[in-house]
Each structure stands twice: as C-alpha cells, then as structure tokens.
Amino acid sequence: MKKLLLTSLCALSLMLGSPQAEAGSEGLTSHIVNSTSRGIAMDGFDPVAYFTAGSATKGDQAFRHAYKGRTWLFASAENRDSFAAAPEKYAPQNNGWCAWAVAHGYAAETDFINGWFISDDKLYVTWSAEVKDRFLQDKANLLAQNQANWSTVHAGLQEGSVKFVSHSQRPNLGFQHPQQLPDS
C-alpha cells in the first residue's frame, strides 16, 4: 500500500509539473515529457549534439526552442535550427523516458550523460550506462517491446497509473537532476 501511494504521488507530481498540451491533427494531445520542474527538457542537454558531436553536450539558454510544451536547449543556433526544422528526428524516443523501463511497461528517469544510444537514427535514453549496456545486448527485442509499450506507458503517465522510478529513490547511485557534465 505504501509503495502504491508513493508511486501515485510521484506520478501526480509528474503530472502537475510536466503536462503540456499541444494541438495536432488529432486535436488536443497531452504530452508527458521528461523535464525539470522548470520545464527544461532533457535536463538541458542538446538533443542534436548526440547526433552531430556524438556526445552529451549541455545546451545554452541563448539557443532554446519550445516543443511539446517544454523548453529545449541547444549548444548552438545551428543545432536549434536543425531541431526546429525536424524535432521528431532529434527528440529522444519515449519523450525522454528510459527505453528499458518503457520496454518493461513502466517509466523511469534517465542518465543523459552516459545512458544514451542511437539506433536507426533515433535517440534513446536509459536509466544509466549499465542499463544501456544491458539494453544493447538484446536491442532488437527490447526496441520492439519499447515501441509496443510506449502508448500504454504514456497514457499511464498522463493518468498517474503507471509505475514511475526516479533516481532520487535510489540515492546510492549519486544521480542528481538536472544533470551536469563533470568538470573537465
């Protein structure tokens, strides 16, 4: 009962802090995007840089773009403009939620620094580097499960009925959000 209450509270806080409405061809749709409490998607990491630089790169407030009701930050005007022209090409799958979790029917936060990979020209993020490695060992199967589960998980995020795991529930892992790149 306590776990159900905690899960419900996490989902409710996620809903209160993250829902956004976007009008589309099918009418009004609510998107639950993995973002900070201030509405910054991907903890401020530049989604285009994963493709162009091959690494996690922090974005800059000077180069921002609104998409799915959230603010996305970019390292350059060029990256921002590329994203604005084709956001579906660069935005992470599952609105930035952990690909492993979605493949297994729930939602979880992600490690934007070490838990990402690109497959079939799509960006995926996972809970951690270790989870990414496990995902890649059975990539074809898990990608299929991920695609099959996403609409149900997303609906569960909207309704507050899906299990949600945050890094703060596992403080021994040392994750803090928004994530920052380590000092060079």
Side-chain angles (χ1 to χ4, degrees):
M1 181 66 167
K2 188 176 181 181
K3 185 176 180 182
L4 178 61
L5 179 60
L6 179 62
T7 302
S8 297
L9 288 173
C10 285
L12 179 60
S13 68
L14 186 75
M15 291 290 295
L16 293 175
S18 296
Q20 46 294 138
E22 179 180 273
S25 61
E26 298 172 12
L28 194 62
T29 306
S30 178
H31 294 279
I32 306 299
V33 176
N34 188 352
S35 58
T36 69
S37 61
R38 301 184 90 173
I40 305 295
M42 294 185 59
D43 283 1
F45 285 90
D46 178 342
V48 176
Y50 292 98
F51 293 90
T52 60
S55 65
T57 304
K58 270 297 197 178
D60 186 309
Q61 282 285 348
F63 309 112
R64 61 183 177 269
H65 179 74
Y67 176 64
K68 290 188 175 181
R70 291 297 180 222
T71 301
W72 300 71
L73 303 181
F74 303 90
S76 68
E78 180 182 8
N79 283 7
R80 179 202 54 215
D81 296 347
S82 293
F83 184 88
E88 64 286 344
K89 177 179 178 177
Y90 297 106
Q93 300 303 293
N94 312 314
N95 289 344
W97 299 106
C98 175
W100 173 274
V102 172
H104 290 87
Y106 65 98
E109 289 183 326
T110 58
D111 176 355
F112 294 109
I113 298 170
N114 299 305
W116 65 276
F117 65 94
I118 295 173
S119 179
D120 295 325
D121 294 323
K122 295 179 183 179
L123 175 62
Y124 293 87
V125 287
T126 65
W127 173 265
S128 65
E130 293 78 19
V131 170
K132 172 189 73 174
D133 292 343
R134 287 175 35 206
F135 192 103
L136 293 175
Q137 289 174 5
D138 191 18
K139 183 174 79 169
N141 182 45
L142 290 170
L143 284 175
Q145 286 179 261
N146 182 284
Q147 291 174 344
N149 289 346
W150 172 238
S151 62
T152 302
V153 170
H154 190 253
L157 283 167
Q158 292 169 318
E159 299 162 1
S161 63
V162 71
K163 176 183 170 186
F164 172 75
V165 181
S166 71
H167 283 132
S168 65
Q169 293 170 319
R170 310 253 182 344
N172 59 317
L173 297 176
F175 285 101
Q176 293 183 352
H177 292 279
Q179 281 186 287
Q180 300 297 321
L181 289 167
D183 294 332
S184 300

